Amino acid sequence: MQEHLLNAHLAYKSGRSFVFDNYTWNKDGSDYSDFSGRLIPSRVPLAALIRGPAAGGPFPPGDPSPRAVVKEYFDQVCPKGQRQMIKSDEITDIYNSEANKMLETGVEKLKTLPRCVEIDETSFTQIFNIWLFGSTRVLSIWDSLKTSPILTEFRWSQLIEDAFTANRHLFSKISWWSTLFFSRNAYPYDMIPGLLVLHIRRGDFEEHCMHFATYQSEYNGFNQFPELPERFDPPARSATNEVTEEGIQTYLRHCFPSIPQIVQRVKEVRGTRAGKGLKYIYIMTNGKKPWVAELKDALAKTGGWEKIASSRDLVLNWEQQYVAQSVDMLVGQRAQALIGNGFSSLTSNIVMLRMAQDFPPDSNRFW
Protein backbone atom coordinates (compact mmCIF):
# COMPACT_ATOMS: atom_id res chain seq x y z
CA MET A 1 0.00 0.00 0.00
CA GLN A 2 2.84 2.39 0.82
CA GLU A 3 4.38 1.89 -2.62
CA HIS A 4 1.02 2.63 -4.24
CA LEU A 5 0.61 5.85 -2.24
CA LEU A 6 4.15 7.05 -2.96
CA ASN A 7 3.78 6.33 -6.68
CA ALA A 8 0.52 8.29 -6.67
CA HIS A 9 2.25 11.12 -4.81
CA LEU A 10 5.06 11.18 -7.38
CA ALA A 11 2.49 11.48 -10.18
CA TYR A 12 0.67 14.23 -8.26
CA LYS A 13 3.83 16.28 -7.68
CA SER A 14 4.80 15.95 -11.34
CA GLY A 15 1.36 17.09 -12.55
CA ARG A 16 0.50 13.78 -14.20
CA SER A 17 -2.38 11.34 -14.01
CA PHE A 18 -1.48 8.28 -11.99
CA VAL A 19 -2.33 4.98 -13.70
CA PHE A 20 -3.49 2.22 -11.37
CA ASP A 21 -4.40 -1.41 -11.82
CA ASN A 22 -6.20 -4.06 -9.80
CA TYR A 23 -4.43 -5.56 -6.81
CA THR A 24 -3.03 -8.50 -8.75
CA TRP A 25 -1.79 -11.72 -7.19
CA ASN A 26 -1.33 -13.60 -10.45
CA LYS A 27 -0.86 -12.06 -13.91
CA ASP A 28 -1.54 -15.22 -15.93
CA GLY A 29 -5.15 -14.23 -16.63
CA SER A 30 -6.70 -16.79 -14.27
CA ASP A 31 -9.64 -15.83 -12.08
CA TYR A 32 -8.27 -17.69 -9.07
CA SER A 33 -4.86 -18.50 -7.63
CA ASP A 34 -3.66 -21.12 -5.17
CA PHE A 35 -2.48 -19.75 -1.84
CA SER A 36 -1.36 -22.36 0.69
CA GLY A 37 -3.80 -24.88 -0.69
CA ARG A 38 -6.85 -22.65 -0.98
CA LEU A 39 -8.26 -20.57 -3.80
CA ILE A 40 -8.10 -16.79 -3.68
CA PRO A 41 -9.01 -14.21 -6.34
CA SER A 42 -6.16 -13.54 -8.74
CA ARG A 43 -7.25 -9.90 -8.89
CA VAL A 44 -9.02 -7.58 -6.45
CA PRO A 45 -10.30 -4.23 -7.80
CA LEU A 46 -8.53 -1.32 -6.16
CA ALA A 47 -11.97 0.20 -5.48
CA ALA A 48 -12.67 -2.74 -3.16
CA LEU A 49 -9.73 -1.61 -1.01
CA ILE A 50 -9.33 2.16 -1.05
CA ARG A 51 -10.78 5.38 -2.44
CA GLY A 52 -9.57 8.91 -2.83
CA PRO A 53 -7.19 10.52 -5.36
CA ALA A 54 -4.88 7.49 -5.30
CA ALA A 55 -7.76 5.40 -6.65
CA GLY A 56 -9.23 7.83 -9.16
CA GLY A 57 -11.24 9.96 -6.75
CA PRO A 58 -11.38 13.77 -7.03
CA PHE A 59 -8.80 16.11 -5.61
CA PRO A 60 -9.99 18.82 -3.19
CA PRO A 61 -11.89 21.78 -4.66
CA GLY A 62 -9.56 24.19 -6.38
CA ASP A 63 -6.84 21.61 -7.00
CA PRO A 64 -6.43 21.28 -10.80
CA SER A 65 -4.37 18.08 -10.64
CA PRO A 66 -5.46 15.44 -13.18
CA ARG A 67 -7.28 12.48 -11.66
CA ALA A 68 -5.82 8.98 -11.56
CA VAL A 69 -7.08 6.59 -14.24
CA VAL A 70 -7.42 2.83 -14.61
CA LYS A 71 -4.96 0.92 -16.74
CA GLU A 72 -7.63 0.04 -19.32
CA TYR A 73 -8.17 3.73 -20.04
CA PHE A 74 -4.42 4.36 -20.24
CA ASP A 75 -4.13 1.51 -22.77
CA GLN A 76 -6.74 3.24 -24.95
CA VAL A 77 -5.35 6.78 -24.88
CA CYS A 78 -1.68 5.76 -24.78
CA PRO A 79 -1.21 2.76 -27.07
CA LYS A 80 2.13 1.01 -26.70
CA GLY A 81 3.61 2.72 -29.76
CA GLN A 82 3.06 6.14 -28.19
CA ARG A 83 4.60 5.44 -24.81
CA GLN A 84 8.06 6.37 -23.65
CA MET A 85 9.50 3.60 -21.53
CA ILE A 86 11.93 4.46 -18.74
CA LYS A 87 13.75 2.31 -16.20
CA SER A 88 13.27 2.90 -12.50
CA ASP A 89 17.01 3.32 -12.03
CA GLU A 90 16.78 6.55 -14.01
CA ILE A 91 15.05 7.93 -10.93
CA THR A 92 16.36 6.00 -7.98
CA ASP A 93 19.46 4.55 -6.41
CA ILE A 94 17.91 1.45 -4.84
CA TYR A 95 20.31 1.27 -1.91
CA ASN A 96 21.26 4.81 -0.99
CA SER A 97 18.72 7.40 -2.12
CA GLU A 98 16.66 9.27 0.43
CA ALA A 99 12.96 9.18 -0.43
CA ASN A 100 12.70 12.96 -0.76
CA LYS A 101 15.60 13.00 -3.24
CA MET A 102 13.97 10.18 -5.21
CA LEU A 103 10.79 12.25 -5.34
CA GLU A 104 12.66 15.35 -6.53
CA THR A 105 14.58 13.39 -9.16
CA GLY A 106 11.39 11.68 -10.34
CA VAL A 107 9.47 14.93 -10.66
CA GLU A 108 12.30 16.56 -12.61
CA LYS A 109 12.57 13.56 -14.93
CA LEU A 110 8.83 13.22 -15.55
CA LYS A 111 8.43 16.91 -16.36
CA THR A 112 10.83 16.49 -19.30
CA LEU A 113 9.00 13.52 -20.81
CA PRO A 114 6.09 13.33 -23.29
CA ARG A 115 2.46 12.72 -22.44
CA CYS A 116 2.51 8.92 -22.18
CA VAL A 117 5.13 7.39 -19.88
CA GLU A 118 5.48 3.86 -18.54
CA ILE A 119 7.98 2.49 -16.03
CA ASP A 120 9.45 -0.63 -17.63
CA GLU A 121 8.40 -3.61 -15.53
CA THR A 122 11.70 -5.31 -16.41
CA SER A 123 13.50 -2.66 -14.33
CA PHE A 124 15.71 -4.12 -11.63
CA THR A 125 13.35 -2.88 -8.94
CA GLN A 126 10.49 -0.48 -8.28
CA ILE A 127 11.02 3.24 -7.87
CA PHE A 128 10.01 3.00 -4.22
CA ASN A 129 11.18 -0.45 -3.18
CA ILE A 130 11.46 -2.82 -0.22
CA TRP A 131 14.91 -1.54 0.73
CA LEU A 132 13.50 1.96 1.05
CA PHE A 133 10.45 0.93 3.08
CA GLY A 134 12.65 -1.18 5.32
CA SER A 135 14.80 1.78 6.34
CA THR A 136 14.55 5.25 7.80
CA ARG A 137 15.33 6.68 4.35
CA VAL A 138 11.59 6.66 3.63
CA LEU A 139 10.94 9.18 6.42
CA SER A 140 12.52 12.03 4.48
CA ILE A 141 9.44 12.14 2.24
CA TRP A 142 7.03 12.44 5.17
CA ASP A 143 6.59 16.22 5.28
CA SER A 144 5.61 16.18 1.60
CA LEU A 145 3.44 13.06 1.80
CA LYS A 146 1.58 14.01 4.97
CA THR A 147 0.21 17.20 3.43
CA SER A 148 -0.47 15.64 0.03
CA PRO A 149 -4.09 15.03 -1.05
CA ILE A 150 -2.96 11.47 -1.70
CA LEU A 151 -2.91 11.00 2.07
CA THR A 152 -5.18 13.77 3.38
CA GLU A 153 -8.01 12.53 1.13
CA PHE A 154 -7.25 8.84 1.67
CA ARG A 155 -10.23 6.72 2.61
CA TRP A 156 -10.95 3.02 2.85
CA SER A 157 -13.52 1.53 0.46
CA GLN A 158 -17.21 1.41 1.25
CA LEU A 159 -16.91 -2.38 1.48
CA ILE A 160 -14.34 -2.09 4.27
CA GLU A 161 -16.15 0.70 6.11
CA ASP A 162 -19.39 -1.31 6.07
CA ALA A 163 -17.56 -4.31 7.53
CA PHE A 164 -16.11 -2.09 10.26
CA THR A 165 -19.52 -0.66 11.15
CA ALA A 166 -21.19 -4.08 11.21
CA ASN A 167 -18.57 -5.43 13.62
CA ARG A 168 -17.93 -2.38 15.78
CA HIS A 169 -19.83 -3.89 18.70
CA LEU A 170 -16.97 -6.39 19.09
CA PHE A 171 -14.42 -3.77 20.11
CA SER A 172 -16.36 -0.78 21.44
CA LYS A 173 -19.41 0.01 23.48
CA ILE A 174 -22.47 0.94 21.45
CA SER A 175 -25.05 2.92 23.44
CA TRP A 176 -27.35 5.88 22.99
CA TRP A 177 -24.86 8.00 24.99
CA SER A 178 -21.88 7.12 22.80
CA THR A 179 -23.80 8.01 19.66
CA LEU A 180 -24.22 11.54 20.96
CA PHE A 181 -20.48 12.15 21.30
CA PHE A 182 -18.74 9.67 19.01
CA SER A 183 -19.54 8.67 15.47
CA ARG A 184 -20.85 5.13 15.04
CA ASN A 185 -19.87 5.27 11.40
CA ALA A 186 -16.50 4.17 10.12
CA TYR A 187 -15.71 7.66 8.82
CA PRO A 188 -14.27 10.03 9.96
CA TYR A 189 -11.50 7.91 11.38
CA ASP A 190 -11.42 9.41 14.85
CA MET A 191 -9.97 7.59 17.85
CA ILE A 192 -12.14 5.04 19.66
CA PRO A 193 -11.66 5.68 23.39
CA GLY A 194 -10.66 2.64 25.42
CA LEU A 195 -9.62 0.48 22.48
CA LEU A 196 -6.30 -1.39 22.50
CA VAL A 197 -5.40 -3.14 19.24
CA LEU A 198 -2.77 -5.87 19.11
CA HIS A 199 -1.17 -6.97 15.85
CA ILE A 200 0.14 -10.52 16.24
CA ARG A 201 1.42 -12.51 13.28
CA ARG A 202 1.54 -16.29 13.55
CA GLY A 203 1.95 -19.17 11.11
CA ASP A 204 4.87 -18.87 8.71
CA PHE A 205 5.86 -15.46 10.10
CA GLU A 206 8.22 -17.21 12.50
CA GLU A 207 10.39 -18.05 9.47
CA HIS A 208 10.41 -14.38 8.50
CA CYS A 209 11.48 -13.45 12.03
CA MET A 210 14.43 -15.85 11.77
CA HIS A 211 15.32 -14.20 8.46
CA PHE A 212 15.25 -10.79 10.16
CA ALA A 213 17.59 -12.11 12.85
CA THR A 214 20.00 -13.52 10.28
CA TYR A 215 20.25 -10.21 8.44
CA GLN A 216 20.05 -7.95 11.51
CA SER A 217 16.97 -6.23 10.14
CA GLU A 218 15.58 -3.05 11.64
CA TYR A 219 11.93 -2.09 11.98
CA ASN A 220 10.05 -0.95 8.87
CA GLY A 221 10.74 2.68 8.02
CA PHE A 222 7.37 4.09 9.06
CA ASN A 223 7.75 2.25 12.37
CA GLN A 224 10.83 4.39 13.06
CA PHE A 225 9.38 7.90 13.24
CA PRO A 226 11.69 9.81 15.60
CA GLU A 227 8.66 10.88 17.67
CA LEU A 228 7.81 7.28 18.57
CA PRO A 229 8.75 6.27 22.12
CA GLU A 230 10.41 2.95 21.26
CA ARG A 231 13.41 1.92 19.19
CA PHE A 232 14.81 -1.43 18.14
CA ASP A 233 18.57 -1.84 18.00
CA PRO A 234 19.68 -5.12 16.38
CA PRO A 235 21.54 -7.21 18.99
CA ALA A 236 25.27 -7.73 18.66
CA ARG A 237 26.54 -10.77 16.79
CA SER A 238 29.16 -13.27 17.91
CA ALA A 239 32.90 -12.83 17.46
CA THR A 240 32.58 -14.84 14.24
CA ASN A 241 29.76 -12.54 13.02
CA GLU A 242 27.08 -15.18 13.56
CA VAL A 243 23.68 -14.55 15.07
CA THR A 244 23.64 -15.71 18.68
CA GLU A 245 20.90 -17.63 20.48
CA GLU A 246 20.32 -14.55 22.61
CA GLY A 247 19.96 -12.50 19.44
CA ILE A 248 17.43 -14.96 18.01
CA GLN A 249 15.36 -14.79 21.19
CA THR A 250 15.46 -10.98 21.08
CA TYR A 251 14.07 -10.98 17.55
CA LEU A 252 11.41 -13.56 18.39
CA ARG A 253 10.25 -11.53 21.41
CA HIS A 254 9.72 -8.47 19.21
CA CYS A 255 8.53 -10.31 16.09
CA PHE A 256 6.85 -13.55 17.23
CA PRO A 257 6.04 -13.11 20.93
CA SER A 258 4.70 -15.95 23.06
CA ILE A 259 1.43 -15.64 24.98
CA PRO A 260 3.19 -14.83 28.30
CA GLN A 261 5.27 -12.17 26.52
CA ILE A 262 2.14 -10.70 24.92
CA VAL A 263 0.35 -10.54 28.28
CA GLN A 264 3.35 -8.87 29.93
CA ARG A 265 3.64 -6.30 27.14
CA VAL A 266 -0.06 -5.45 27.40
CA LYS A 267 0.40 -4.88 31.14
CA GLU A 268 3.31 -2.53 30.45
CA VAL A 269 1.43 -0.45 27.87
CA ARG A 270 -1.64 -0.36 30.08
CA GLY A 271 0.47 1.38 32.70
CA THR A 272 1.53 4.21 30.38
CA ARG A 273 -0.18 7.54 29.78
CA ALA A 274 -1.38 6.30 26.38
CA GLY A 275 -2.85 3.21 28.04
CA LYS A 276 -5.00 5.04 30.55
CA GLY A 277 -8.63 3.92 30.46
CA LEU A 278 -8.23 0.99 28.09
CA LYS A 279 -11.26 -1.30 28.27
CA TYR A 280 -11.44 -3.23 25.01
CA ILE A 281 -8.94 -5.41 23.18
CA TYR A 282 -9.02 -6.28 19.50
CA ILE A 283 -6.45 -8.82 18.28
CA MET A 284 -5.43 -8.56 14.63
CA THR A 285 -4.08 -12.01 13.87
CA ASN A 286 -3.85 -14.91 11.47
CA GLY A 287 -3.43 -17.28 14.41
CA LYS A 288 -5.51 -20.44 14.55
CA LYS A 289 -8.68 -20.35 16.63
CA PRO A 290 -7.41 -22.58 19.51
CA TRP A 291 -4.32 -20.36 19.92
CA VAL A 292 -6.44 -17.20 19.81
CA ALA A 293 -8.78 -18.66 22.44
CA GLU A 294 -5.80 -19.40 24.70
CA LEU A 295 -4.53 -15.85 24.27
CA LYS A 296 -7.94 -14.35 25.01
CA ASP A 297 -8.19 -16.40 28.19
CA ALA A 298 -4.74 -15.28 29.34
CA LEU A 299 -5.56 -11.61 28.69
CA ALA A 300 -8.95 -11.89 30.41
CA LYS A 301 -7.26 -13.21 33.56
CA THR A 302 -5.39 -9.91 33.94
CA GLY A 303 -8.75 -8.31 34.70
CA GLY A 304 -10.48 -5.07 33.81
CA TRP A 305 -11.35 -5.82 30.19
CA GLU A 306 -14.96 -5.40 29.08
CA LYS A 307 -14.47 -6.96 25.64
CA ILE A 308 -11.76 -9.06 24.01
CA ALA A 309 -12.23 -9.93 20.34
CA SER A 310 -10.09 -10.89 17.37
CA SER A 311 -10.02 -11.09 13.59
CA ARG A 312 -11.52 -14.56 13.97
CA ASP A 313 -14.69 -13.03 15.44
CA LEU A 314 -15.48 -10.75 12.50
CA VAL A 315 -18.69 -11.50 10.60
CA LEU A 316 -17.99 -10.70 6.96
CA ASN A 317 -19.93 -11.26 3.76
CA TRP A 318 -18.37 -13.14 0.87
CA GLU A 319 -16.87 -9.99 -0.66
CA GLN A 320 -15.49 -8.63 2.61
CA GLN A 321 -13.67 -11.90 3.33
CA TYR A 322 -11.13 -11.02 0.65
CA VAL A 323 -10.32 -7.63 2.20
CA ALA A 324 -10.38 -8.73 5.84
CA GLN A 325 -6.85 -7.51 6.54
CA SER A 326 -7.87 -4.02 5.48
CA VAL A 327 -10.80 -4.18 7.90
CA ASP A 328 -8.26 -5.01 10.60
CA MET A 329 -6.14 -2.04 9.55
CA LEU A 330 -9.08 0.33 9.90
CA VAL A 331 -9.72 -0.97 13.44
CA GLY A 332 -6.04 -0.50 14.27
CA GLN A 333 -6.01 2.97 12.74
CA ARG A 334 -8.74 4.10 15.14
CA ALA A 335 -7.39 2.52 18.33
CA GLN A 336 -6.58 4.56 21.42
CA ALA A 337 -3.40 2.50 21.66
CA LEU A 338 -1.71 0.10 19.26
CA ILE A 339 0.86 -2.60 19.95
CA GLY A 340 2.17 -3.67 16.59
CA ASN A 341 4.88 -5.72 14.96
CA GLY A 342 7.71 -3.35 14.08
CA PHE A 343 8.91 -5.66 11.29
CA SER A 344 5.49 -5.79 9.62
CA SER A 345 4.43 -3.61 6.70
CA LEU A 346 0.83 -3.96 7.87
CA THR A 347 1.71 -2.40 11.23
CA SER A 348 3.67 0.34 9.48
CA ASN A 349 0.66 1.09 7.26
CA ILE A 350 -1.39 1.66 10.40
CA VAL A 351 1.29 3.73 12.12
CA MET A 352 1.67 5.88 8.99
CA LEU A 353 -2.08 6.57 8.90
CA ARG A 354 -2.22 7.30 12.64
CA MET A 355 0.70 9.72 12.38
CA ALA A 356 -1.01 11.40 9.42
CA GLN A 357 -3.99 12.05 11.70
CA ASP A 358 -1.72 13.44 14.44
CA PHE A 359 -2.63 10.75 16.94
CA PRO A 360 -0.25 10.92 19.94
CA PRO A 361 3.03 9.29 18.90
CA ASP A 362 3.25 7.44 22.23
CA SER A 363 0.00 5.62 21.39
CA ASN A 364 2.01 3.57 18.87
CA ARG A 365 3.91 0.76 20.57
CA PHE A 366 5.65 -2.45 19.51
CA TRP A 367 6.32 -5.86 20.97
Side-chain angles (χ1 to χ4, degrees):
M1 186 175 90
Q2 292 166 24
E3 182 192 1
H4 179 90
L5 294 177
L6 262 63
N7 283 336
H9 183 53
L10 171 59
Y12 167 70
K13 296 295 284 187
S14 61
R16 289 178 174 268
S17 289
F18 175 57
V19 180
F20 63 90
D21 202 355
N22 300 320
Y23 175 79
T24 304
W25 184 266
N26 193 333
K27 292 184 177 181
D28 66 2
S30 62
D31 290 331
Y32 299 96
S33 298
D34 180 272
F35 178 73
S36 300
R38 59 189 180 90
L39 291 180
I40 62 171
S42 293
R43 298 170 303 281
V44 176
L46 189 64
L49 295 165
I50 66 172
R51 50 185 157 169
F59 284 90
D63 189 329
S65 301
R67 290 171 66 163
V69 298
V70 295
K71 182 178 180 298
E72 289 81 359
Y73 179 77
F74 177 73
D75 290 339
Q76 290 179 18
V77 299
C78 292
K80 288 188 178 293
Q82 297 180 17
R83 302 177 196 176
Q84 178 158 340
M85 306 292 289
I86 65 170
K87 296 280 190 179
S88 63
D89 59 11
E90 296 180 46
I91 294 176
T92 177
D93 176 338
I94 64 172
Y95 297 114
N96 299 312
S97 293
E98 291 285 335
N100 62 338
K101 296 300 182 183
M102 295 162 65
L103 178 67
E104 292 173 9
T105 303
V107 169
E108 291 174 4
K109 178 73 175 179
L110 289 171
K111 286 187 174 181
T112 68
L113 298 177
R115 176 170 172 262
C116 299
V117 178
E118 180 177 350
I119 307 298
D120 192 338
E121 67 176 352
T122 66
S123 299
F124 178 68
T125 185
Q126 301 93 334
I127 296 174
F128 302 106
N129 52 55
I130 58 172
W131 294 282
L132 177 72
F133 292 116
S135 75
T136 55
R137 291 186 292 118
V138 73
L139 296 177
S140 62
I141 206 172
W142 181 242
D143 287 345
S144 175
L145 180 63
K146 182 181 179 182
T147 57
S148 168
I150 299 302
L151 204 52
T152 61
E153 302 297 308
F154 173 87
R155 188 167 172 180
W156 295 104
S157 71
Q158 190 66 56
L159 188 68
I160 290 166
E161 289 187 0
D162 287 348
F164 175 96
T165 301
N167 288 277
R168 181 166 176 165
H169 64 281
L170 294 173
F171 45 81
S172 65
K173 187 173 183 179
I174 303 299
S175 66
W176 68 268
W177 180 86
S178 65
T179 61
L180 293 177
F181 297 97
F182 305 106
S183 171
R184 289 186 59 186
N185 297 323
Y187 189 83
Y189 305 142
D190 51 359
M191 183 180 286
I192 298 176
L195 176 60
L196 170 65
V197 169
L198 314 178
H199 179 208
I200 308 171
R201 289 288 302 270
R202 304 319 279 178
D204 65 353
F205 204 68
E206 185 173 15
E207 299 175 16
H208 294 287
C209 298
M210 296 299 292
H211 173 87
F212 298 144
T214 299
Y215 290 95
Q216 286 192 295
S217 298
E218 300 177 348
Y219 281 169
N220 271 217
F222 283 126
N223 290 333
Q224 296 192 70
F225 281 101
E227 300 93 331
L228 298 181
E230 296 164 359
R231 303 283 183 272
F232 177 79
D233 295 317
R237 300 171 82 88
S238 70
T240 56
N241 201 33
E242 299 291 330
V243 60
T244 65
E245 180 59 30
E246 181 181 359
I248 290 174
Q249 293 306 315
T250 297
Y251 271 92
L252 290 177
R253 184 172 69 254
H254 290 277
C255 184
F256 202 80
S258 65
I259 287 178
Q261 289 170 338
I262 293 168
V263 171
Q264 179 58 35
R265 187 72 179 118
V266 168
K267 289 180 180 178
E268 292 169 358
V269 171
R270 206 175 184 184
T272 66
R273 182 180 67 86
K276 185 177 181 180
L278 293 174
K279 296 182 288 186
Y280 321 112
I281 296 178
Y282 181 77
I283 306 164
M284 301 166 44
T285 186
N286 62 335
K288 294 182 178 180
K289 289 183 177 180
W291 183 87
V292 176
E294 183 181 353
L295 174 59
K296 283 183 176 181
D297 183 62
L299 290 168
K301 288 178 180 177
T302 64
W305 300 106
E306 295 182 17
K307 296 182 180 183
I308 302 177
S310 80
S311 308
R312 300 303 187 187
D313 298 311
L314 295 177
V315 177
L316 306 172
N317 64 33
W318 72 270
E319 293 176 302
Q320 293 164 345
Q321 291 174 11
Y322 298 109
V323 296
Q325 286 187 330
S326 296
V327 178
D328 274 351
M329 281 195 278
L330 176 51
V331 180
Q333 182 181 346
R334 297 191 57 179
Q336 175 181 321
L338 168 74
I339 306 178
N341 188 319
F343 301 99
S344 165
S345 58
L346 190 149
T347 286
S348 64
N349 285 338
I350 298 171
V351 171
M352 175 190 70
L353 294 171
R354 290 170 62 84
M355 293 295 284
Q357 292 178 256
D358 292 319
F359 282 14
D362 67 345
S363 69
N364 302 299
R365 303 287 177 138
F366 305 105
W367 299 113

